[in-house]
Amino acid sequence: MAWHFALMIDPADVDDTRSDFAATFTEVDPAAPALTVGELSTQRGDGIFESIGVIDGHPQEVEAHLSRLAHSAQLCDLPVPHAEQWRQAVALAASACGAGEAVIKLILSRGIEHGPTPTAWVTAAPAADFSIARSRGIRVVTLDRGYALDVPSRAPWLLLGAKTLSYAVNMAALREARRRGADDAIFTTSDGYVLEAPTASLILRRGDAFLTPAPNAGILHGTTQLSLFEHLAAQGFETGYETIPVAELHTVDAAWLVSSVRLAAPITAIDDVDVPMDAALTVSMNDYLLSPRD
């Protein structure tokens, strides 16, 4: 991925009375060094992030992403991001994206070790080509996430509901899925319930009802899943949240992994068991997700 825009943000230089935050931004060469060796995002993964899809220069679901960034900051005891400052940073990054699909990343770390303030930056780059995943579908395997359904409520210090930079486990899960001949994974709890994918939300279809695992077990509330549920509900479909046993994955009428950049990828097999694919509905979903959304 060739990064083509990078913007450092000063999160400490914030005044609620100001409306223009341009002075708090510094555009940097995305190919040049920008972080110090004491930066805790690289030393410990101590920070949070969001990935925003961009379609023809339009950043999608910005407010939902900023809200989740603030939620992650609260869980991680980081200063709450100033929404307008980040909103303007996103707009500036989007203006550098041009036609086609791109991705904007928002990163907020605890900063330099023993330093006075957090470090924050925004990047923009062309998105990967996900046309094959959207049209032909993906094969997934289930992988044990290593904790029971009630662990997030009993151990909030595990930060299981925050979108942190500590993605080593998520990336390891994707590598394991590929070793097993699959494209992606669905995490499950050790006591047999469905969670989410390493980088996506899961949507299941049962008849005319669309379901996703209830976000009460450290599951990130997916911005794309929320938007797609609103779209489906407007079309007259039932949508809902359930605690879903793993065994029910093999009884659904269709399934998708959805995320901000890949959008809706239909699942064609789970643990080598075929899943029906609704090609027409998938096209309709992605047509919606590719339309400008605020």
Side-chain angles (χ1 to χ4, degrees), residues 42 81-82 103 113 122 127 129 141 144 155 158 167 172 176 184 190 204 211 216 218 229 233 241 254 264 281 292:
T42 54
H82 191 285
V103 56
E113 189 162 20
V122 170
D129 182 1
V141 293
D144 189 341
L158 295 178
Y167 252 45
E176 178 62 23
D184 213 316
S190 57
L204 305 174
L211 308 170
N216 59 1
F229 267 25
Y241 299 83
L281 181 57

Side-chain angles (χ1 to χ4, degrees), residues 139-143 173 176-177 180 182 184-187 269-272:
R139 300 175 67 86
V140 304
V141 293
T142 55
L143 296 178
E176 178 62 23
R180 299 187 187 193
D184 213 316
I186 295 173
F187 281 135
I270 301 174
D271 294 331
D272 291 325

Side-chain angles (χ1 to χ4, degrees), residues 17-39:
T17 63
R18 72 193 301 171
S19 59
D20 184 358
F21 288 89
T24 69
F25 305 147
T26 303
E27 187 173 345
V28 297
D29 181 351
L35 300 176
T36 72
V37 294
E39 171 60 42

Side-chain angles (χ1 to χ4, degrees), residues 133-163:
R134 294 171 189 168
S135 61
R136 299 183 188 175
I138 56 175
R139 300 175 67 86
V140 304
V141 293
T142 55
L143 296 178
D144 189 341
R145 189 66 173 82
Y147 61 80
L149 190 69
D150 65 341
V151 163
S153 62
R154 291 192 289 108
W157 51 87
L158 295 178
L159 304 178
L160 295 172
K163 194 172 179 67

